[in-house]
Amino acid sequence: MGCAWLQTRAQLPDMRWAWSLPLLVVLLVFFSGEKLRLARLAGVVALALMAGVFYATWRAEVRLGQTLDPHWEGRDLRVQGLVIGLPEATTTGLGFVLSVAAVSPAAAEVPERLRLSWWLPAGAPPPVLAGGDCVELGVRLYRPHGNLNPAGFDYEAWLLERGIRATGTVRDAPVLAQGCGGALRAQVDRTRAWVRAHLLSALAGREYAGVVSALAVGDQDAIPTSQWTLFRQTGTSHLFSVSGLHITLFSSLVYLFARLVWRRLPRLNLFLPAHRGGIALGLLAAGAYTLLAGFGIPAQRTLYMLAGGALLAWTDQRASPSRILALALLVVVLVDPWAALAPGFWLSFGAVAVLMLAATGQRETGAVPWRTWLRAQWAVTLGLLPLLLALFHEISLVSPLANALAIPVISLLAVPLGLLAALVPWDGLALVAHAVVWAVMQWLQALAALPQPVFHGAAPGPLALGLAILGTLVLLLPRGVPGRWLGLVLCLPLFFPRLPAPAAGEVWITALDVGQGSAVLVRTARRTLLVDAGPRFASGEDAGARIIAPHLWALGINRLDGLIITHDDIDHSGGAAALLASHRPTWFLNSLAGVGSERLSETGRALLVARPDARACQAGQTWTWDGVSFSMLHPPAHHYALAGYSDNERSCVLRVDSPHGSLLLAGDMERLTEMNLAERHMLLAADVLLVPHHGSKGASGASFLAAVQPRLALIQVGHRNRFGHPHPEVLARYRMIGAQVYRTDRDGAVSLVLGQNGPVVPVVDQARESHRRYWHSVR
């Protein structure tokens, strides 16, 4: 708890004076009499909490000390190092982790571990780089930075936990070198790379080849996004990576087989009893599988717990399962004090704890196996429900049915077959493993096709989450305990939360941090509008599924009333397809429907096919929601027929007027559109302006700014983007008119309220301030 608490702090505590606190607690613990037993217990708990805080603080200070010197940020360096893990292929190149052995110039202070991106031109052959390679290459490095949104994925925390303290790009092709060290790690990674290549070659062209590879070596990158979506909808994502369940069952199978064979070899029994031989080989198998899977945090947890159980069984000692679980928890936190940042940490330990609780008082003799299995499924589904809703804002309603079949088939058939296929040079085993996975996937697809496979709920508050966890514990109490039904009452706030919403006439605006792109959420009392859907990323993912949809679900918004895509650029339309599927907007406005399909990108054409009822933005369109007026200012209808107009100049421009202030969303319009607007609209003044074209030099002309006179200017822009947005001259123009500028690359997501306080002080949230953690970069 002490280690976990530290990960919620905006700053590390000052340790110079804090070391005196444990001394006071030690005095309380050791000098309290028998009559103060409760005080002694409280002292021990306090001492443990402080130990956790101090330990995690020390580890954090050491890791944060491995920071790239700002003097060398953005400069070309040459480094030599060992490629760690399996490089990740993307649509634009390759991503990999490098353990640095040497750097040139020698004066450069470079962290020990880097995450690098190797960008390749379109059509270039895939690069040859494997885990375990010792390479020398030119790089350009930067300190860690990631998008920051409320309830969103924290990339900087992900890097910190993995010890990666700088990211960068490859400036020239890596060349093989010597003297990187790490021979054991290199050999493990080479083995993993060979196994992956062997399996993918044996299953070339097969739909689920990536799943078989993931089950054998933890290569989750080989699984396409569409399949991960299916796993998420059916609650089976944990099965298609190397999870604790797989390692435990594989270790158990090896134990049972080894013990069976050992008993039939008398000389071995004289040397070592069969059950101890089985224990040793089972634990070795678990360790080997954990290494083959990349030694990830979830696999480590299972290995430590199995090691604790094996030690007790080897020495014929008895210990309660909860003590073994606590010991494994202690080891995990000592090795990785940032483990609490990972959802898998809570879900894996939570699942084991729930199973232990459900087993209390249920160990009746002669129990039917299938009933025991169903009881375990029910316990895990119910027990993890509050955590799933808090961490992912969704619950798979078909998960019990999906897991009832998928867990035994994948864990007892697909995983052993996949591992055998990795070790035996016979493609038939890989094909059989693929056939098993294929059969399970048909079952999952049938469940996902049901009308409502997933329930989405708002992020619960601390009180609602605490009550729900208590409620599930009450429901899981043994039979015969009176009043178990009261647990349902405690769970009600989880599903019926009181959600904040604008008052009538108010407008809540959130400029999400989606990188180099745009996505603005506009909320009135009962309606929600999204203007633009963010970019599609080099990894193949998009901002719609990765950033915007989770943010909407966390707010309790399961459907959009309207979606506007301002123009046909991938940084504005890249996430639209995902949102059309997940949030089914009532209507869809864009500047795509007004032009011929031959002038649209592939993404634009796909959007119009997905929503044939889409309408073109046209100047003069108006509507009113909850006392708030919306007006489309651009483009005029005849502009769609003008071949000389670019997509940027045809951007939909929306004005929002409330009794408390006004907002102008300018899309990617440039000078020509600015002049056109100034000619057609005498009244352009607005309190808040979404800066045109991300602060490009070709937009935000002086005459346009003089007409708008914004008090606040929002710039949605990517960190260190290749376009150099926002341009310094543009920023100077906004400073000259006295506008307060907010940038998503510097401030994270920016939320405003045009409400009772008026437009003078509408900023209510900057994610890098309100959601700040000690590892976040400050710009």
Side-chain angles (χ1 to χ4, degrees):
M1 292 294 290
C3 287
W5 176 84
L6 186 75
Q7 313 315 325
T8 66
R9 300 298 91 198
Q11 294 180 343
L12 292 177
D14 187 351
M15 303 300 292
R16 289 175 298 179
W17 58 270
W19 291 105
S20 60
L21 292 178
L23 298 178
L24 298 177
V25 178
V26 169
L27 292 175
L28 176 65
V29 170
F30 288 101
F31 292 97
S32 297
E34 286 296 322
K35 296 182 178 180
L36 297 177
R37 187 174 301 174
L38 185 60
R40 296 184 65 182
L41 177 61
V44 170
V45 171
L47 188 61
L49 286 171
M50 284 187 286
V53 172
F54 295 164
Y55 176 72
T57 301
W58 169 63
R59 291 286 303 275
E61 288 177 341
V62 171
R63 185 154 293 183
L64 292 179
Q66 301 173 9
T67 302
L68 178 68
D69 188 336
H71 175 73
W72 298 103
E73 192 170 22
R75 301 177 63 177
D76 288 342
L77 303 169
R78 290 203 67 79
V79 297
Q80 180 179 319
L82 190 70
V83 178
I84 300 296
L86 299 175
E88 173 189 354
T90 68
T91 56
T92 57
L94 200 69
F96 60 97
V97 176
L98 189 77
S99 179
V100 176
V103 60
S104 177
E109 296 182 10
V110 174
E112 296 177 0
R113 187 167 290 194
L114 313 174
R115 182 172 177 83
L116 301 175
S117 298
W118 185 3
W119 306 109
L120 295 172
V128 179
L129 191 68
D133 285 349
C134 180
V135 295
E136 181 181 337
L137 65 164
V139 297
R140 185 171 291 177
L141 302 178
Y142 304 96
R143 286 173 290 171
H145 184 92
N147 300 336
L148 194 60
N149 296 280
F153 173 68
D154 191 337
Y155 180 61
E156 293 178 44
W158 185 87
L159 291 174
L160 179 77
E161 184 185 8
R162 284 152 181 79
I164 300 170
R165 297 300 301 143
T167 62
T169 56
V170 176
R171 304 295 292 171
D172 53 39
V175 295
L176 293 178
Q178 299 290 334
C180 288
L184 177 60
R185 178 61 189 262
Q187 186 58 48
V188 170
D189 286 335
R190 290 192 192 101
T191 302
R192 296 182 68 212
W194 180 87
V195 169
R196 177 175 68 171
H198 167 62
L199 291 175
L200 294 181
S201 174
L203 299 174
R206 305 275 175 173
E207 186 177 5
Y208 305 117
V211 175
V212 177
S213 175
L215 292 174
V217 295
D219 178 27
Q220 299 182 29
D221 299 324
I223 302 178
T225 303
S226 59
Q227 292 177 14
W228 280 120
T229 301
L230 175 64
F231 302 153
R232 178 179 55 79
Q233 291 175 338
T234 55
T236 54
S237 298
H238 63 101
L239 280 179
F240 296 95
S241 57
V242 178
S243 67
L245 176 64
H246 295 157
I247 294 173
T248 302
L249 290 178
F250 177 68
S251 176
S252 301
L253 288 175
V254 172
Y255 164 76
L256 292 174
F257 180 76
R259 185 176 179 180
L260 182 65
V261 173
W262 204 289
R263 283 179 172 177
R264 286 158 175 76
L265 300 173
R267 291 187 178 180
L268 281 179
N269 278 278
L270 291 174
F271 172 72
L272 190 69
H275 78 282
R276 289 188 176 180
I279 289 170
L281 291 177
L283 186 59
L284 285 174
Y289 191 14
T290 302
L291 285 175
L292 187 64
F295 207 62
I297 297 298
Q300 288 183 39
R301 299 179 201 126
T302 304
L303 181 62
Y304 300 147
M305 194 167 179
L306 287 174
L311 179 62
L312 291 172
W314 180 281
T315 57
D316 296 322
Q317 300 294 316
R318 290 185 177 273
S320 66
S322 62
R323 287 181 178 268
I324 300 176
L325 180 66
L327 180 61
L329 181 61
L330 173 64
V331 174
V332 167
V333 172
L334 286 174
V335 173
D336 178 18
W338 300 276
L341 295 173
F345 170 83
W346 301 99
L347 294 177
S348 59
F349 279 106
V352 176
V354 165
L355 288 173
M356 290 178 179
L357 178 63
T360 304
Q362 301 287 349
R363 298 186 179 90
E364 64 267 22
T365 57
V368 181
W370 67 266
R371 287 185 178 178
T372 303
W373 175 249
L374 290 179
R375 185 181 297 126
Q377 280 292 301
W378 157 252
V380 170
T381 301
L382 179 64
L384 296 185
L385 187 148
L387 286 177
L388 289 170
L389 206 55
L391 294 170
F392 304 112
H393 323 303
E394 66 179 15
I395 301 168
S396 172
L397 301 179
V398 299
S399 173
L401 291 174
N403 281 291
L405 174 70
I407 286 178
V409 174
I410 293 295
S411 300
L412 298 178
L413 291 178
V415 170
L417 285 169
L419 290 174
L420 280 176
L423 299 175
V424 179
W426 179 45
D427 292 353
L429 284 172
L431 293 173
V432 174
H434 184 274
V436 172
V437 172
W438 179 89
V440 173
M441 295 296 283
Q442 306 313 302
W443 170 241
L444 299 184
Q445 289 172 0
L447 293 176
L450 294 174
Q452 185 67 42
V454 179
F455 168 80
H456 291 103
L463 179 59
L465 179 62
L467 290 175
I469 292 175
L470 180 60
T472 56
L473 294 178
V474 171
L475 289 171
L476 291 173
L477 289 174
R479 292 181 182 178
V481 176
R484 287 195 302 162
W485 63 271
L486 290 173
L488 293 174
V489 179
L490 294 173
C491 291
L492 290 179
L494 189 71
F495 297 99
F496 301 98
R498 296 186 62 182
L499 302 174
E506 286 189 347
V507 183
W508 290 7
I509 306 140
T510 301
L512 291 166
D513 183 8
V514 293
Q516 184 64 18
S518 183
V520 180
L521 186 65
V522 182
R523 299 177 64 192
T524 64
R526 293 184 298 274
R527 302 294 182 93
T528 304
L529 170 68
L530 181 69
V531 181
D532 284 327
R536 182 179 299 137
F537 304 116
S539 63
E541 297 179 297
D542 61 77
R546 182 172 159 184
I547 296 174
I548 303 171
H551 181 75
L552 293 173
W553 285 324
L555 295 175
I557 300 171
N558 295 331
R559 184 161 189 174
L560 290 168
D561 295 287
L563 173 63
I564 298 176
I565 298 299
T566 57
H567 62 293
D568 190 16
D569 270 359
I570 198 66
D571 60 332
H572 292 247
S573 62
L579 291 167
L580 289 177
S582 65
H583 281 78
R584 310 177 311 284
T586 304
W587 50 256
F588 180 25
L589 277 178
N590 54 70
S591 63
L592 317 174
V595 301
S597 61
E598 70 281 355
R599 294 161 60 187
L600 293 177
S601 67
E602 182 180 347
T603 299
R605 289 193 294 270
L607 292 178
L608 295 184
V609 169
R611 282 296 293 261
D613 61 336
R615 293 181 294 139
C617 301
Q618 290 186 16
Q621 293 169 331
T622 62
W623 66 94
T624 301
W625 285 347
D626 307 317
V628 179
S629 299
F630 295 79
S631 307
M632 194 66 68
L633 305 185
H634 187 80
H638 69 276
H639 278 205
Y640 288 107
L642 300 178
Y645 258 64
S646 68
D647 288 328
N648 285 353
E649 297 289 13
R650 205 166 20 245
S651 288
C652 305
V653 178
L654 180 69
R655 180 182 178 88
V656 182
D657 288 286
S658 79
H660 311 292
S662 54
L663 164 71
L664 186 63
L665 299 173
D668 270 5
M669 70 175 185
E670 296 182 337
R671 295 291 178 85
L672 185 60
T673 301
E674 291 178 0
M675 292 187 292
N676 190 291
L677 279 174
E679 290 177 2
R680 292 187 288 112
H681 296 277
M682 297 299 294
L683 298 176
L684 282 178
D687 298 297
V688 182
L689 171 66
L690 180 69
V691 171
H693 201 185
H694 317 287
S696 164
K697 187 179 180 180
S700 298
S703 58
F704 174 74
L705 294 185
V708 179
Q709 286 293 318
R711 303 186 186 197
L712 292 176
L714 303 178
I715 306 178
Q716 288 189 297
V717 65
H719 178 64
R720 292 188 177 273
N721 64 88
R722 61 190 177 95
F723 306 103
H725 296 160
H727 196 277
E729 292 182 12
V730 172
L731 293 175
R733 291 181 206 140
Y734 282 97
R735 285 195 294 267
M736 286 180 63
I737 63 172
Q740 194 171 2
V741 177
Y742 292 90
R743 301 167 44 170
T744 54
D745 62 332
R746 181 191 63 198
D747 305 317
V750 180
S751 298
L752 319 172
V753 171
L754 297 179
Q756 300 297 328
N757 292 333
V760 179
V761 285
V763 176
V764 296
D765 184 79
Q766 295 168 252
R768 285 204 175 267
E769 292 296 330
S770 60
H771 293 75
R772 177 164 175 73
R773 297 295 180 263
Y774 66 83
W775 56 81
H776 286 152
S777 60
V778 180
R779 301 288 172 179

